[in-house]
Amino acid sequence: MTELEKDIGNLRSGLKSVESELDFQKKRPQELGDKFVSVVSQFIAVASFSFSDVEDSLTEAKELFLRAVKHFGEDASKMQPDEFFGIFDQFLQSFTEAQQENENIRKRKEEEERRAKMEAQLKEQREKERRARKAKANGEDDGGEFDDLVSALRSGEVFDKDLSKMKRNRKRITSQNTESSRERPVTKLNI
């Protein structure tokens, strides 16, 4: 604000200097073709109007600043604009950094959850594979469900309402499969 006031003071004194030069040139006899007085007169009219707008803007800015300082409970006589607005600038920078940090934490947490989920799925899959290998090593047949369904279709058990027969037969077939080879004789189907 003090810099603006200093600049306004320099403009004011410069405009007064131009006006005094114009007055001096008006009192002197004019040479033929000299347009200094007419050009500078137009300039001063426009510059004076523009300067008064700038002064009004500075006055309004001072009033608004004083109201803002008072609104936030600061002492207007001690608080300079750069200090006052510096507080807001620092707050906004800290706020932006905190937002970014929170976003990074959220992304990291999501990534950790995704990684943990993938590890759990991988562990579960490995456990299933281990159980399947162990079952094969012990002679258990976990893949005979398809064979059970084919034999149930052949015998007509599928169309029976009581599925317990199919389960019993499956157990019987499983025990037979462990005793004999997995290959079944190919039978001729009537089509």
Side-chain angles (χ1 to χ4, degrees), residues 16-164:
K16 285 186 181 183
S17 296
V18 172
E19 286 174 351
S20 63
E21 181 64 30
L22 179 64
D23 289 341
F24 175 75
Q25 291 295 331
K26 281 182 180 177
K27 292 176 184 174
R28 284 188 48 211
Q30 300 244 341
E31 296 179 14
L32 205 64
D34 187 13
K35 297 183 181 179
F36 180 80
V37 174
S38 63
V39 171
V40 172
S41 295
Q42 289 176 355
F43 169 76
I44 288 178
V46 172
S48 297
F49 181 74
S50 297
F51 181 72
S52 90
D53 282 349
V54 170
E55 277 186 318
D56 293 344
S57 295
L58 179 64
T59 305
E60 183 181 2
K62 283 181 184 178
E63 290 172 4
L64 291 173
F65 173 71
L66 292 175
R67 283 180 35 203
V69 169
K70 185 178 177 184
H71 177 76
F72 285 101
E74 298 291 335
D75 186 8
S77 62
K78 295 179 182 176
M79 182 67 69
Q80 291 298 315
D82 56 341
E83 182 183 357
F84 180 72
F85 292 115
I87 294 169
F88 290 103
D89 183 49
Q90 184 179 3
F91 170 76
L92 290 174
Q93 287 177 359
S94 298
F95 183 77
T96 304
E97 289 173 6
Q99 272 186 322
Q100 186 63 40
E101 187 177 323
N102 287 342
E103 182 67 20
N104 291 341
I105 289 171
R106 184 189 62 78
K107 285 180 181 178
R108 227 177 294 126
K109 187 176 179 182
E110 286 177 356
E111 180 65 27
E112 287 173 2
E113 288 174 356
R114 188 182 62 78
R115 189 176 298 126
K117 186 177 178 182
M118 287 182 69
E119 286 176 4
Q121 288 175 345
L122 185 61
K123 185 177 180 181
E124 184 180 324
Q125 183 180 0
R126 286 180 182 163
E127 183 64 26
K128 284 180 182 178
E129 289 172 358
R130 187 186 63 77
R131 276 191 249 131
R133 282 193 303 259
K134 190 175 181 181
K136 275 188 178 179
N138 291 341
E140 295 175 8
D141 187 14
D142 211 20
E145 292 178 13
F146 180 76
D147 294 338
D148 292 345
L149 287 172
V150 170
S151 63
L153 283 170
R154 284 186 186 153
S155 66
E157 288 180 4
V158 169
F159 304 107
D160 191 4
K161 296 284 183 196
D162 188 16
L163 294 177
S164 61

